[in-house]
Amino acid sequence: MEAKVTIIGAGVIGLAIAEELSKKFNKIFVVEKNKKFGQETSSRNSEVIHSGIYYPTNSLKAKLCVEGNKMLYDFCIKHGIPHSRCGKLVVATNLKEEKILNKILNQAIRNGVKDGQLISREKALELEPEIFCTKALHFPSTGIIDSHGLMKRLEANATINGVSFAYNSEVVKIERIEGGYAITVKENNIQFIFTTEYVINASGLNADQIAKTAGAFQKAYKIHYWKGDYFAVGNGKNKKINRLIYPVPQTNVVGLGIHATLDLNHGMKLGPDSTYLQSNTIDYSIDKKKQTAFLLAAQKYLPFLEFEDLHPDQAGVRPKLQLPGEPVRDFIITKETASGHPNFINLIGLESPGLTSCLAIGHMISKLLDN
Ligand SMILES: Cc1cc2nc3c(=O)[nH]c(=O)nc-3n(C[C@H](O)[C@H](O)[C@H](O)COP(=O)(O)OP(=O)(O)OC[C@H]3O[C@@H](n4cnc5c(N)ncnc54)[C@H](O)[C@@H]3O)c2cc1C
């Protein structure tokens, strides 16, 4: 075999897996269709290091997020990656929401998030004098990260350990052969084939298509695209908070509700919202007509905001496994031996908290290859 391991996709997940596996294997290839790493979902997110509070107990999302949170902070400190453990408040604005705070705190505790604290309105206003709330949850372990800096370091570490990166190279076909797989790659309209013992499908929004290319698995995987728009906050209002501020999530809404996040330059963004893209085609345009809805949602807890403080910012697309109205699904990270694809690992539906979980996912894949 020409390669021991081939990783399809150089988003934060493929890069973290490459970095981790490079500690024990030689001949690792990362094949990426874009001209450099992290050009898709990994550069179109909130850059939040989540604590892991909302996900169902024992789900991969909960486990990998809680583990990944700690691993990511340690990695940032070790490699000098800009980050801030700024903390987060989940704010209730009425009695009904206050009751939900207790449920969120209990779920966080079940997930192993130990630092959450229910705080009074007075205490919340000591932390964030400009917000409105009646009670809040404070999670000091939530933070923000320079995701580009993280990916650059992961790529550099992997390269130092001998990983080969093939950019501008799109995987178009995967065939099972004796002892592994033959991968057909298209590079500048030229196709070539190489062989590999292991395949790791970390191709994000395309992961279901790549799985399909490789043949039948037990179940056909189907990713549904859900877009998230952001509006940036200007006019100096971005300086009015120092932590991430989230509303209490509504039970019938997909996503966490319009929340306020910060970046490392103290820029403030509202969003992302969550819109199902029926066409399943990538769309990064921002619908300016949403500005009033974003303002009204955020004014409930950021009363200082005015219409002219907001302007359209970025958008990202989540690869979700559920359709509108269906229950939230967990990440799929699975070795496909039972489906007749030994040494083939699919990672499907890697939406949030994928960035936070990336290093824990690297560890998990490393263990899956051992078994
Ligand atoms: C709006 C939004 C906000 C989010 N906020 C957060 C957050 O604050 N915190 C958090 O933890 N997570 C967050 N996430 C989730 C996080 O961004 C993702 O989980 C993570 O970036 C997924 O990384 P990935 O490597 O799987 O995907 P991607 O970054 O999409 O990478 C997949 C790569 O595969 C490549 N590829 C696809 N097909 C092929 C092919 N045929 N051949 C070769 N290469 C191919 C693509 O070009 C791409 O580079 C957010 C996501 C969204 C959309």
Side-chain angles (χ1 to χ4, degrees), residues 7-17 30-50 55 65 72 143-145 147 151 166-174 183-186 201-207 209-210 213 226-230 244 246 256 259 261 271-273 282 284 314-319 331 347-358 361:
I7 299 163
I8 306 169
V12 74
I13 303 294
L15 292 168
I17 295 168
V30 178
V31 186
E32 166 57 55
K33 68 177 164 60
N34 291 322
K35 65 175 191 275
K36 46 188 182 161
F37 63 78
Q39 297 297 289
E40 303 204 347
T41 310
S42 297
S43 54
R44 293 180 163 275
N45 56 54
S46 308
E47 300 189 293
V48 173
I49 305 178
H50 288 296
Y55 314 109
C65 184
L72 208 45
I144 47 176
I145 183 170
S147 57
M151 290 191 277
Y167 289 113
N168 289 315
S169 301
E170 183 179 1
V171 172
V172 290
K173 195 169 167 192
I174 302 172
I183 311 263
T184 306
V185 171
K186 197 168 87 181
N201 172 13
S203 58
L205 292 164
N206 265 347
Q209 296 308 312
I210 288 288
T213 306
W226 289 75
K227 182 165 174 265
D229 288 351
Y230 293 87
L244 315 181
Y246 288 62
L256 298 176
H259 47 274
T261 55
D273 64 351
I282 293 171
Y284 294 132
Q314 63 175 46
V317 176
R318 306 169 180 88
F331 294 155
L347 294 101
I348 307 199
L350 276 270
E351 52 161 331
S352 194
L355 171 65
T356 309
S357 309
C358 67
I361 291 172

Side-chain angles (χ1 to χ4, degrees), residues 6 65 69 75 117 166 182 218 237 245 248 258 279 287 294 343:
T6 297
C65 184
N69 171 290
F75 190 88
Q117 237 195 324
Q218 268 174 337
K237 303 279 178 72
I245 314 286
V248 169
I258 303 296
S279 60
D287 181 359
F294 270 64
N343 299 335

Side-chain angles (χ1 to χ4, degrees), residues 54-96:
Y54 305 105
Y55 314 109
T57 320
N58 294 327
S59 62
L60 280 178
K61 284 182 179 172
K63 191 174 156 292
L64 293 167
C65 184
V66 173
E67 266 173 45
N69 171 290
K70 184 175 180 325
M71 290 171 81
L72 208 45
Y73 281 122
D74 291 349
F75 190 88
C76 286
I77 291 162
K78 183 171 173 195
H79 295 288
I81 293 158
H83 69 288
S84 165
R85 203 187 284 256
C86 55
K88 144 177 177 169
L89 293 182
V90 183
V91 293
T93 56
N94 55 47
L95 254 174
K96 194 175 151 212

Side-chain angles (χ1 to χ4, degrees), residues 119-130:
I119 58 174
S120 63
R121 175 178 175 275
E122 291 69 31
K123 177 71 188 161
L125 293 184
E126 263 174 42
L127 297 174
E128 295 291 346
E130 302 280 354

